[in-house]
């Protein structure tokens, strides 16, 4: 087991990014909070759509076009979020990995060393989350990617750049081939997506079925439901390494270097990502993969620059800023809790509002998103007044300590 590599490009806190005494960069907490709540902007339509988790595979939860005000509102809401905040969260996970590496370097600890146990525990958490709560869990994919990228942090900058761009190239090839297959198959429809697009048995499973039946269904179809992180693995590696690179360049500091880098991210990310998103949206449903997995990461980079610019103008933190920071500090707990709340509100095992309010889409779905966001921000703020870490973060720390002592 080797010690962390020390090169001229790998200072403990990244060039231009001094870590505060408390060990946290405020902008990173805000970005994590936005990313967590932003992923719900996409997932809330999965929970409330016909057939829920499986329905998205049968193309029943896509955008509804712009033919009416409700349809336009839903489409715009989804286009703003789909894949963008997930990509942002992935970049920030790479940032967190770089911070863990630097922490180990300062303490003279071997790398990846104990971080492997952290990643394996995250995989276990993701597995439980997948089985009991939500099929589109991201934690399992993050854990596997982290194990690979963690080892790359001991390599040279040149080696990491090579892997980073090879991963991006591989991802683009995979998405291009899948899109070509969709176009050749002729799956494109009117993009309306209705209840008839999902098998009635699947609709009933989530609207009226029992909890054990839903768990059994996820386990029975686990290979299909876990294909997203497999097909997008190249993107995960690229975004992880991009997060490492941005952190070490000083992109998250509040100094002139950070502002300059974020300004470039804002211009290039939105300048390229937004037009590409518009193009693939107009091209039709067959090009959805290019929107979610190619255009969205560009927009995510722009979002980081935009949020950084807004935060830089805030002179006195208000309730919104405090809430976002609190969610960012309890990101793991917030991610799981928001999905659990949506399950209890939407599925038949809880209030069953997805079926009862089907005719009230999209307005009630947007209201649900806003309500869950408010609960998370308020709950996280109150929790951190008494505890240092979020609930699941505390469980993770406890388990890792027990594992090391054992």
């Amino acid at each position: 087991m080797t010690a962390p590599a020390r090169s001229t490009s790998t200072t403990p806190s990244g060039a231009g990014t001094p870590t505060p005494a408390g060990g946290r960069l405020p902008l990173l907490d805000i970005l994590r909070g936005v990313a967590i709540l932003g992923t719900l902007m996409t997932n809330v339509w999965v929970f409330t759509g016909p057939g829920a988790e499986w329905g998205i595979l049968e193309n029943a939860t896509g955008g509804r076009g712009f033919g009416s005000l409700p349809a336009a509102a839903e489409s715009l809401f989804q286009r703003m979020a789909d894949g963008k905040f997930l990509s942002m969260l992935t970049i920030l996970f790479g940032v967190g990995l770089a911070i863990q590496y630097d922490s180990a370097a300062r303490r003279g600890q071997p790398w990846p060393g104990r971080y492997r146990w952290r990643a394996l525990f995250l995989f276990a958490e993701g597995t439980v989350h997948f089985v009991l709560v939500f099929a589109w869990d991201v934690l399992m994919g993050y854990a596997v990617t982290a194990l690979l990228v963690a080892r790359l942090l001991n390599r040279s900058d040149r080696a990491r750049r090579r892997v980073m761009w090879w991963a991006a190239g591989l991802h683009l090839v995979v998405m291009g081939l899948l899109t070509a297959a969709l176009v050749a198959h002729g799956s494109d429809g009117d993009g309306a997506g209705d209840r008839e697009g999902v098998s009635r048995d699947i609709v009933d499973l989530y609207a009226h079925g029992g909890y054990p039946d839903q768990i059994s269904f996820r386990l029975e179809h686990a290979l299909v439901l876990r294909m997203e992180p497999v097909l997008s693995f190249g993107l995960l590696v690229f975004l992880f390494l991009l997060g490492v690179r941005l952190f070490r360049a000083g992109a998250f500091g509040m100094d002139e270097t950070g502002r300059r880098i974020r300004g470039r991210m804002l211009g290039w990310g939105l300048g390229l990502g937004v037009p590409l998103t518009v193009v693939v949206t107009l091209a039709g449903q067959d090009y959805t993969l290019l929107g979610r997995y190619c255009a969205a990461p560009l927009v995510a980079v722009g979002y980081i620059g935009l949020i950084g610019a807004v935060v830089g103008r805030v002179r006195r933190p208000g309730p919104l800023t405090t809430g976002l920071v609190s969610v960012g500090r309890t990101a793991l707990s917030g991610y799981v809790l928001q999905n659990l709340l949506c399950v209890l509100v939407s599925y038949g095992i809880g209030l069953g509002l997805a079926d009862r309010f089907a005719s009230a889409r999209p307005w009630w779905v947007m209201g649900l998103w806003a309500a869950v966001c408010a609960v998370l921000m308020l709950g996280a703020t109150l929790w951190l007044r008494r505890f240092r870490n979020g609930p699941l973060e505390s469980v993770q720390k406890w388990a890792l300590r027990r594992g090391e002592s054992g």
Side-chain angles (χ1 to χ4, degrees), residues 166-183:
W166 271 103
L170 174 63
H171 172 70
L172 291 176
V173 169
V174 171
M175 290 301 111
L177 292 175
L178 290 175
T179 299
L182 288 175
V183 172

Side-chain angles (χ1 to χ4, degrees), residues 180-254:
L182 288 175
V183 172
H185 187 264
S187 63
D188 195 13
D190 60 8
D194 53 31
R195 300 181 68 79
E196 287 70 30
V198 186
S199 305
R200 173 51 56 183
D201 290 343
I202 303 301
V203 174
D204 289 341
L205 172 65
Y206 287 94
H208 310 292
Y211 185 52
D213 294 330
Q214 293 177 12
I215 292 177
S216 177
F217 181 82
R218 278 195 287 271
L219 292 174
E220 183 180 350
H221 298 86
L223 290 179
V224 176
L225 292 170
R226 290 285 78 204
M227 283 305 295
E228 181 180 47
V230 175
L231 296 176
S232 63
F233 185 70
L235 179 62
L236 292 177
V237 172
F238 171 78
L239 293 178
F240 265 60
L241 289 172
L242 177 61
V244 173
R245 189 171 180 82
L246 288 172
F247 174 73
R248 290 180 172 171
F252 303 100
M254 299 309 292

Side-chain angles (χ1 to χ4, degrees), residues 35-36 39 83-94 97 115-116 118-124 126-127 136-150 226 228-230 232-233 235-237 239-240 292 331-332 335:
I36 291 297
T39 58
K84 283 79 171 176
F85 294 104
L86 180 60
S87 293
M88 183 192 297
L89 189 64
T90 308
I91 292 171
L92 295 173
F93 207 101
L97 184 60
Y115 184 82
R116 291 178 297 183
R118 182 184 295 271
L120 291 173
F121 188 83
L122 184 67
F123 186 87
T127 302
W136 298 106
D137 165 79
V138 302
L139 303 178
M140 298 168 71
Y142 283 0
V144 174
T145 308
L147 286 172
L148 170 64
V149 175
R226 290 285 78 204
E228 181 180 47
V230 175
S232 63
F233 185 70
L235 179 62
L236 292 177
V237 172
L239 293 178
F240 265 60
R292 179 173 173 83
L332 178 60
Y335 171 69

Side-chain angles (χ1 to χ4, degrees), residues 58-70:
E58 297 190 3
N59 207 24
T61 56
R64 294 180 175 273
F66 296 87
S68 65
L69 178 59

Side-chain angles (χ1 to χ4, degrees), residues 247-286:
F247 174 73
R248 290 180 172 171
F252 303 100
M254 299 309 292
D255 56 0
E256 183 58 32
T257 297
R259 287 190 290 270
R260 184 175 64 253
I261 295 174
R262 291 193 297 273
R264 294 174 182 173
M265 294 170 66
L266 171 59
W268 285 103
L270 296 187
L272 294 176
V274 172
L276 184 56
T277 299
V278 173
V279 169
V280 296
T281 298
L282 295 177
Q285 196 74 5
D286 287 339

